[in-house]
Amino acid sequence: MATYFDPTLFLRLPLFTSDGKSLQDWLMLFKDQTMHTLARDPLLSISAIINGAITLYVLKFLLSKSQIPGFGYPHWFPAGRIYGGARFFVDSSTMISKGYKASKGKVFKIPRWRSWVYILSGDKLVDDFHHFSDKELSLLDSAKHELQIPYTMGASVHDDPYHLPILRQKLTRNLNYLVTEILDEAVPAFNTIIGQHCPPGTIFHFKGLLSITRIVAQTFNRILVGPDLCRDTAYNAVSIQFASNVMFTSLIINLFPRFLHPLVGRICSKFGSNLPKAISLTRSLVEKRRALMRSRDLTEEEMNTDFLWWFLATATGEQATTESLATRILVVNAATIHTSSMALTQALTNLALHPEWAVRLRMEASSAFSRHGWSRNMLKELHDTDSFIKESMRLNGLGSMGFPRKAMQTLSLSDGTVIPAGSLVSPALSAHSDPEYYPNPDAFDPTRFMEGTCKDKVDTGGMVRTSSHFLPFGHGEHTW
């Protein structure tokens, strides 16, 4: 007959003390005394909680046996990862560059405040990264926390991203028309913001990034809301400010522990003030188009002129409210304006540093325009311009790693490396300065990409075509 042994029996045995109390009695007495002391001194309670959390963190760190090397923090110091998380905000490029050189072709990790980011390097692993499905590596779930979407854009943008399939489907089908619209708007936008202030023979000093951002906002909104609203100064100001607020607010929120995010988000977020402005500026256009839709059946051509028409034709229920439409318009602007503006400003800066290329690029553009006008076919003949901008983006990237994605399940890479579920994963952009791919990588060489963009190779090597070592737009199925 089996006998059950109760391990708590030892707790009840009397100790060799004068009062004969058991270990369990002493533990209970200690607990009571401790709770009584903490209740009388709140500061002591807080201190105990903080010290307990630090102790648990240190024990977890010491007991972890990850085979993936980490960089950017002092390994000898148990709380070094906290230092590394702070360093990431100001020196991530050095951290990732060091990891890339030491672990090229492998996976390494760098610390953030609350987690590791697993960085992939080498063609094979980067291809692995971009071949995982959304159910395995999610960009949307990563953006929810990285951009703090509930506080910067509204929870519905993450919970019901109906705009994404609309954009994927419609952009491809209407690309030729949209390119023509963008090129047509770029000229008056540039003339209004810069050209009219700079007559021939004069020198005009202007704030480069600010001016280019205004040009990009007006030009892009031509295909977002149409020619009238895209030239509204107040509307463009709200769009630009919203995009800036998203980046700034998410950065501030992510400095705090997760349990404080709701409080910090409510304090810092400007979404509540940006949205009413956007609604007031777009309401008239939305109502005008709704009235037109009710008055007659519109042709497919009439409803394919900009993003707002696409949303109006597809959205249902809550999606179709003016508030929801204005939110999606702001979100698309946030994803586009500043990245495009910074890339264009960097290209113009490089052009100023290499003025000998100005004549060459102008002649190429004039020749292509004379044959095709403002069209996609014109862009396909801008081989020198394509290579120039591509080299600018390689040398002056917008970050040290691609936008991370969240592992929705445990992932196994082709080299056998296992990425834990819930981790952030990203490719290293250090490949842009790797001499294996780009000889003399620190030099600005506008001819570097011409072999891939000239003549019939334009569709395989053009600026928007990526590879596992040219990643300004990402790579693979989810290239943005």
Side-chain angles (χ1 to χ4, degrees):
M1 179 177 177
T3 302
Y4 172 73
F5 175 74
D6 184 0
T8 65
L9 176 63
F10 287 108
L11 295 177
R12 298 195 294 270
L13 292 175
L15 298 177
F16 295 103
T17 59
S18 58
D19 56 7
K21 288 185 178 180
S22 68
L23 178 61
Q24 186 177 28
D25 294 332
W26 280 105
L27 289 175
M28 291 299 295
L29 180 62
F30 175 76
K31 185 196 76 169
D32 292 340
Q33 290 292 335
T34 301
M35 296 302 296
H36 179 68
T37 302
L38 293 176
R40 289 193 305 169
D41 191 343
L43 290 179
L44 183 61
S45 300
I46 296 173
S47 176
I49 293 173
I50 294 174
N51 284 298
I54 293 175
T55 301
L56 289 175
Y57 173 84
V58 171
L59 288 173
K60 180 180 177 181
F61 180 89
L62 293 173
L63 293 174
S64 64
K65 296 182 179 180
S66 174
Q67 297 179 349
I68 300 176
F71 294 89
Y73 67 99
H75 292 244
W76 54 268
F77 184 42
R81 205 189 85 180
I82 297 177
Y83 162 80
R87 182 186 174 193
F88 177 85
F89 284 97
V90 296
D91 196 24
S92 61
S93 59
T94 302
M95 297 165 67
I96 293 176
S97 178
K98 182 178 179 180
Y100 181 87
K101 291 176 182 178
S103 301
K104 183 179 175 181
K106 301 177 183 178
V107 181
F108 59 95
K109 60 186 180 181
I110 58 173
R112 297 278 294 275
W113 278 125
R114 299 176 304 277
S115 63
W116 297 100
V117 180
Y118 292 82
I119 307 295
L120 278 55
S121 65
D123 291 346
K124 182 59 178 174
L125 294 183
V126 172
D127 283 336
D128 286 350
F129 174 81
H130 291 288
H131 282 119
F132 281 116
S133 68
D134 286 333
K135 294 182 179 179
E136 297 168 307
L137 272 178
S138 173
L139 181 62
L140 188 60
D141 277 88
S142 171
K144 179 181 180 181
H145 299 291
E146 291 293 292
L147 300 179
Q148 292 297 325
I149 288 178
Y151 312 109
T152 59
M153 305 180 186
S156 63
V157 172
H158 174 268
D159 298 338
D160 183 22
Y162 70 87
H163 58 290
L164 294 181
I166 297 175
L167 296 179
R168 291 193 190 103
Q169 181 185 35
K170 294 289 188 178
L171 276 173
T172 304
R173 291 185 180 181
N174 300 280
L175 193 56
N176 288 331
Y177 172 79
L178 296 176
V179 168
T180 302
E181 289 289 288
I182 288 176
L183 293 172
D184 186 59
E185 189 62 37
V187 175
F190 189 90
N191 286 337
T192 300
I193 296 168
I194 294 179
Q196 67 176 352
H197 304 292
C198 188
T202 64
I203 297 177
F204 172 58
H205 297 277
F206 66 95
K207 295 181 179 179
L209 181 58
L210 177 61
S211 299
I212 296 301
T213 300
R214 292 173 59 198
I215 291 172
V216 169
Q218 177 176 327
T219 302
F220 176 68
N221 275 282
R222 170 69 175 264
I223 64 171
L224 191 55
V225 294
D228 296 327
L229 190 56
C230 81
R231 296 170 187 173
D232 187 304
T233 304
Y235 166 79
N236 286 329
V238 171
S239 300
I240 294 171
Q241 188 60 50
F242 174 78
S244 299
N245 288 340
V246 168
M247 302 309 298
F248 177 75
T249 303
S250 60
L251 175 63
I252 295 300
I253 295 175
N254 282 323
L255 291 174
F256 290 85
R258 187 161 296 174
F259 73 91
L260 289 177
H261 286 181
L263 175 61
V264 179
R266 289 184 178 87
I267 294 174
C268 296
S269 178
K270 301 293 184 182
F271 179 63
S273 60
N274 287 144
L275 183 57
K277 295 177 183 177
I279 292 174
S280 66
L281 291 165
T282 57
R283 187 186 303 278
S284 176
L285 178 61
V286 170
E287 291 178 351
K288 179 181 178 180
R289 292 191 178 185
R290 281 177 176 154
L292 190 59
M293 292 172 68
R294 290 192 297 266
S295 66
R296 63 184 177 87
D297 292 331
L298 300 176
T299 65
E300 183 176 353
E301 183 178 352
E302 289 177 300
M303 299 192 68
N304 270 333
T305 57
D306 57 51
F307 290 31
L308 180 56
W309 270 124
W310 302 345
F311 293 157
L312 284 168
T314 308
T316 59
E318 287 295 319
Q319 299 173 348
T321 63
T322 303
E323 177 180 340
S324 177
L325 294 171
T327 299
R328 304 303 157 134
I329 290 171
L330 287 174
V331 168
V332 177
N333 268 309
T336 307
I337 289 179
H338 287 296
T339 51
S340 301
S341 299
M342 287 187 285
L344 182 54
T345 300
Q346 289 168 346
L348 292 174
T349 301
N350 282 315
L351 186 60
L353 294 172
H354 302 84
E356 67 276 9
W357 274 83
V359 174
R360 179 171 176 172
L361 299 184
R362 186 184 299 114
M363 290 179 61
E364 179 184 60
S366 297
S367 176
F369 178 77
S370 66
R371 289 190 296 276
H372 304 290
W374 296 123
S375 67
R376 190 182 180 192
N377 287 331
M378 172 197 165
L379 294 182
K380 288 183 177 182
E381 293 193 3
L382 302 182
H383 312 306
D384 291 355
T385 304
D386 181 280
S387 182
F388 188 96
I389 296 176
K390 200 170 183 179
E391 174 69 351
S392 177
M393 297 178 73
R394 179 196 70 83
L395 194 61
N396 309 110
L398 301 180
S400 53
M401 66 181 194
F403 195 93
R405 296 182 185 175
K406 182 179 179 180
M408 306 305 292
Q409 60 191 55
T410 300
L411 302 175
S412 295
L413 303 178
S414 58
D415 67 347
T417 302
V418 175
I419 304 294
S423 303
L424 294 179
V425 190
S426 175
L429 298 189
S430 302
H432 291 176
S433 55
D434 189 334
E436 177 183 344
Y437 304 120
Y438 305 103
N440 194 16
D442 295 330
F444 180 75
D445 180 9
T447 66
R448 193 184 298 273
F449 292 93
M450 284 188 178
E451 181 180 353
T453 57
C454 64
K455 298 180 181 179
D456 59 332
K457 294 185 179 180
V458 66
D459 286 331
T460 59
M463 186 181 70
V464 296
R465 302 295 175 175
T466 64
S467 70
S468 56
H469 47 267
F470 183 71
L471 302 162
F473 301 106
H475 183 45
E477 179 184 354
H478 301 288
T479 300
W480 55 271

